[in-house]
Amino acid sequence: MEKNSVKAYMKYCEDKFTKRIIYKKGEMAAFVINFLPGQALPTHKHPGTETYLYVITGTGTIVNNGTETEVAEADLIHVNSEEEMSFKNSGSKPVSLYVILSKIPNENYAKNI
């Protein structure tokens, strides 16, 4: 068993969003992405993997295949491997997302930013 606190991975940077890897086990990865107000994750896909996101804190906008959806604390989101997604902290407070990738598309997806 391994126990961690999500709070330890909630680190923010004035310049850009941050990503902190919590687990990288076999083909899966779990991490926290952190955004200050106005920061954004560009449009991208996760080829060959299912993506699960949990909004730990804050509010923002997910764009999935061109459709905007507002999300807030405690929301759960599933994005399949064929869907394009982006995220923007559209609120006034920091946002942290807990993310699980069922399979790491390549090693760049499992690195801290």
Side-chain angles (χ1 to χ4, degrees):
M1 184 176 108
E2 242 181 286
K3 180 184 173 193
N4 282 293
S5 170
V6 170
K7 289 182 181 183
Y9 298 90
M10 294 170 65
K11 307 289 182 190
Y12 302 92
C13 176
E14 292 291 329
D15 298 332
K16 62 179 182 174
F17 71 88
T18 64
K19 177 169 77 172
R20 298 293 181 255
I21 306 298
I22 301 173
Y23 300 109
K24 182 180 168 214
K25 305 288 184 182
E27 293 188 336
M28 71 77 65
F31 49 88
V32 176
I33 306 179
N34 306 287
F35 304 85
L36 290 174
Q39 292 179 337
L41 179 67
T43 301
H44 65 290
K45 286 185 178 183
H46 297 110
T49 189
E50 300 297 309
T51 304
Y52 302 90
L53 302 100
Y54 173 74
V55 182
I56 300 167
T57 186
T59 61
T61 305
I62 287 185
V63 179
N64 188 304
N65 285 337
T67 301
E68 290 189 8
T69 302
E70 297 300 314
V71 297
E73 185 173 321
D75 284 348
L76 295 167
I77 301 100
H78 169 249
V79 180
N80 74 42
S81 65
E82 301 306 315
E83 296 175 312
E84 281 191 331
M85 69 159 290
S86 64
F87 177 83
K88 181 173 182 177
N89 179 344
S90 53
S92 60
K93 296 183 179 177
V95 171
S96 290
L97 305 174
Y98 179 71
V99 181
I100 297 174
L101 298 179
S102 64
K103 182 178 180 185
I104 302 167
N106 69 52
E107 288 303 312
N108 291 329
Y109 287 85
K111 291 183 179 177
N112 286 331
I113 297 176

